[in-house]
Amino acid sequence: MTRAQTLAGVVGSLADFDPNALPVALAREAIERFITPIDSVELVPLRRALDRVLARDVISPIDVPAHDNAAMDGWAVRYADIDSDNLKAFEPIGTALAGKPFTGTIAANQAVRIMTGAVMPAGCDTVVIQELVATEGERIIIPPRRQSDRHPGQQHGQHRRLRGEDLSAGKPALSAGRLLGPTELGLLASLGVADIAVQRRLRVAFFSTGDELRSIGEPLDPGCVYDSNRFTLIGMLTRLGVELIDLGVVPDSPEALEAAVQSASRQADAIVSSGGVSVGEADYTRDIMKRLGEVAFWTIAMRPGRPMAFGRIGQASYFGLPGNPVAVMITFLFFVRDALIRQSGATPRPVLPVPVRSTTAIRKKAGRTEYQRAIAQIGKDGVLQARLTGSQGSGVLRSMSEANCLLVLRHDQGDIASGDLVDAMLFDGLI
Ligand code: AMP
Ligand code: MG
């Protein structure tokens, strides 16, 4: 475990760090350096290990597959017996099924009927697929090695999977810090692993701030809105596989905010709040945070987004997101998501941008990163193209819902002409 360091120390080590005009990449870097992974291991049955973080390297106890075996249905033979140019008769001497090996020994010009997955009989090195083999009375006819107009040709060792070709005994199969997905569950099952050491789930407390917010079920008084941020957060946090601690709506009062933050920091590894960090509201938030922990207030060169608070309160990392619903989702995606994965003990895999052709011109100011909601689809020319969804207002969740990607207009980029390639981040699995 890396030693906890101060945020001021981290920020001080980054060149050109300006908290009032902070490029997205630099903010991400500061967060990445500051986050300390938890280290608290528990054993879970494999079937419950999806989305958990592997706590220890897994060394393969066995070879997978454990034996050379057939990759196709056909006939197992000795390659040396196959004629180089002509068809040749072989004598069938038995059958090898998956799970039921052939136990006899093979002599010259003999063949064993073999099914996919069956252990290769001792002495056999090659499988000839059944479609190429004819029968002639008691005998079978194996095609020649050499390829010709009439025969496709046979190679030494074909259609045979080698022992240990997937995983070999004593070699690392998966490294600690790996986020376990469906593939990893299958891979661990192929090793016969029943229980697996994973990091405990990260506990994440979250709340919304604002006197104007009403919870579902409450009457919507004049000038009020329903609290939607907690629900986008519930969705995004659930997808991360963390434990949720929902602290509800906190009114705009210093006492209430302080109580919520203290309660959150006692229960959680990470705290996510929305609202109350914009310039007008940040003053008393700032005072409280300063007293309770080390929290910095940043203005990030991005749209939507901009104001964000980040730091640590007690043992918990703290993310103070803006209030606007779309800004919450975008700042969560670009700052909180990877940070929580890292804090869970895993290394986040980068979400790779894909190039898409913008079908419209987009005004873009250099010096900030802009995120535009868009719909990407394959164009007539086979190239991905994207058009913006309706209103890009940072409060408009509907256009976020219509979108299937974000166009990520990079920090240094200026105006985009129609037909230009831009980076897109597809929502698949993210939102
Ligand atoms: P704030 O950052 O607190 O000034 O909020 C900015 C805007 O986002 C205001 O219009 C708020 O009403 C709105 N907002 C803040 N929190 C929420 C929330 N939890 N659900 C829906 N809208 C919100
Ligand atoms: Mg507010």
Side-chain angles (χ1 to χ4, degrees), residues 209-210 212 252 275-276 281:
T209 68
E212 77 283 22
D252 287 319
E281 297 190 303

Side-chain angles (χ1 to χ4, degrees), residues 208-210 212-213 225-230 252 274-278 281 307 321-325:
S208 301
T209 68
E212 77 283 22
L213 301 180
V225 294
Y226 284 121
D227 169 14
S228 58
N229 289 344
R230 251 181 325 131
D252 287 319
S274 71
V277 292
S278 56
E281 297 190 303
L321 307 184
N324 273 312

Side-chain angles (χ1 to χ4, degrees), residues 123 128 150 238 261 294 296 303 325 348 384 409 429:
V128 180
R150 282 176 300 142
T238 302
V261 170
E294 192 193 12
R303 209 173 87 149
L384 262 183
L409 310 179

Side-chain angles (χ1 to χ4, degrees), residues 298-343:
W298 294 338
T299 302
I300 300 184
M302 68 188 290
R303 209 173 87 149
R306 281 178 60 80
M308 193 177 116
F310 172 69
R312 189 189 286 126
I313 294 165
Q315 286 306 301
S317 56
Y318 171 68
F319 303 85
L321 307 184
N324 273 312
V326 175
V328 166
M329 297 190 76
I330 288 177
T331 48
F332 183 94
L333 272 181
F334 288 94
F335 301 113
V336 185
R337 186 175 180 276
D338 282 1
L340 294 183
I341 292 173
R342 221 170 267 287
Q343 206 181 341

Side-chain angles (χ1 to χ4, degrees), residues 202-217:
L202 207 66
R203 288 189 278 267
V204 182
F206 56 101
F207 58 87
S208 301
T209 68
D211 283 339
E212 77 283 22
L213 301 180
R214 293 293 175 270
S215 292
I216 297 166

Side-chain angles (χ1 to χ4, degrees), residues 80-358:
D81 293 342
I82 301 180
D83 193 90
S84 63
D85 297 292
N86 298 303
L87 294 168
K88 185 171 161 187
F90 280 65
E91 179 196 355
I93 57 162
T95 303
L97 300 172
K100 289 213 180 78
F102 172 78
T103 51
T105 44
I106 188 161
N109 304 324
Q110 292 184 328
V112 175
R113 180 92 175 97
I114 194 161
M115 297 299 162
T116 304
V119 174
M120 288 293 283
C124 294
D125 51 18
T126 297
V127 173
V128 180
I129 62 171
Q130 59 188 15
E131 289 81 354
L132 299 179
V133 176
T135 48
E136 198 178 84
E138 303 280 273
R139 310 227 136 203
I140 59 162
I141 307 300
I142 299 281
R145 295 183 194 177
R146 202 193 302 275
Q147 189 182 340
S148 67
D149 293 347
R150 282 176 300 142
H151 302 294
Q154 305 300 310
Q155 273 81 49
H156 179 253
Q158 70 189 11
H159 308 311
R160 176 184 55 161
R161 303 177 185 134
L162 295 176
R163 169 182 182 156
E165 80 174 23
D166 192 357
L167 299 161
S168 49
K171 297 262 172 62
L174 289 174
S175 311
R178 194 59 182 273
L179 206 51
L180 301 177
T183 309
E184 287 70 33
L185 297 193
L187 193 147
L188 290 165
S190 75
L191 301 178
V193 170
D195 298 303
I196 188 85
V198 295
Q199 298 292 351
R200 71 166 169 78
R201 272 185 221 275
L202 207 66
R203 288 189 278 267
V204 182
F206 56 101
F207 58 87
S208 301
T209 68
D211 283 339
E212 77 283 22
L213 301 180
R214 293 293 175 270
S215 292
I216 297 166
E218 291 176 356
L220 201 56
D221 301 322
C224 290
V225 294
Y226 284 121
D227 169 14
S228 58
N229 289 344
R230 251 181 325 131
F231 288 82
T232 45
L233 285 175
I234 287 171
M236 293 185 294
L237 289 167
T238 302
R239 290 242 165 120
L240 283 184
V242 300
E243 253 177 50
L244 309 188
I245 304 171
D246 184 348
L247 298 179
V249 171
V250 176
D252 287 319
S253 96
E255 296 75 24
L257 182 63
E258 178 162 351
V261 170
Q262 276 188 323
S263 155
S265 72
R266 277 194 298 268
Q267 305 174 59
D269 304 299
I271 306 168
V272 182
S273 67
S274 71
V277 292
S278 56
V279 177
E281 297 190 303
D283 291 352
Y284 73 85
T285 313
R286 231 177 264 258
D287 293 343
I288 291 168
M289 297 303 178
K290 231 180 234 156
R291 255 188 298 116
L292 300 183
E294 192 193 12
V295 176
F297 285 73
W298 294 338
T299 302
I300 300 184
M302 68 188 290
R303 209 173 87 149
R306 281 178 60 80
M308 193 177 116
F310 172 69
R312 189 189 286 126
I313 294 165
Q315 286 306 301
S317 56
Y318 171 68
F319 303 85
L321 307 184
N324 273 312
V326 175
V328 166
M329 297 190 76
I330 288 177
T331 48
F332 183 94
L333 272 181
F334 288 94
F335 301 113
V336 185
R337 186 175 180 276
D338 282 1
L340 294 183
I341 292 173
R342 221 170 267 287
Q343 206 181 341
S344 303
T347 309
R349 287 195 178 174
V351 177
L352 300 175
V354 289
V356 303
R357 181 162 293 149
S358 177

Side-chain angles (χ1 to χ4, degrees), residues 1-78:
M1 196 162 125
T2 47
R3 214 164 55 81
Q5 43 192 342
T6 65
L7 186 56
V10 166
V11 163
S13 70
L14 293 169
D16 299 330
F17 193 96
D18 175 0
N20 297 314
L22 190 54
V24 169
L26 211 48
R28 282 173 55 87
E29 168 108 35
I31 294 170
E32 176 182 333
R33 291 198 191 185
F34 184 65
I35 289 288
T36 308
I38 57 167
D39 190 11
S40 171
V41 180
E42 61 188 32
L43 214 57
V44 299
L46 187 58
R47 65 174 62 244
R48 298 227 330 267
L50 183 67
D51 292 337
R52 303 295 295 269
V53 177
L54 193 61
R56 312 245 181 277
D57 292 351
V58 174
I59 306 297
S60 180
I62 54 171
D63 285 328
V64 179
H67 308 275
D68 290 3
N69 68 84
M72 298 286 278
D73 292 349
W75 292 86
V77 296
R78 309 189 317 187

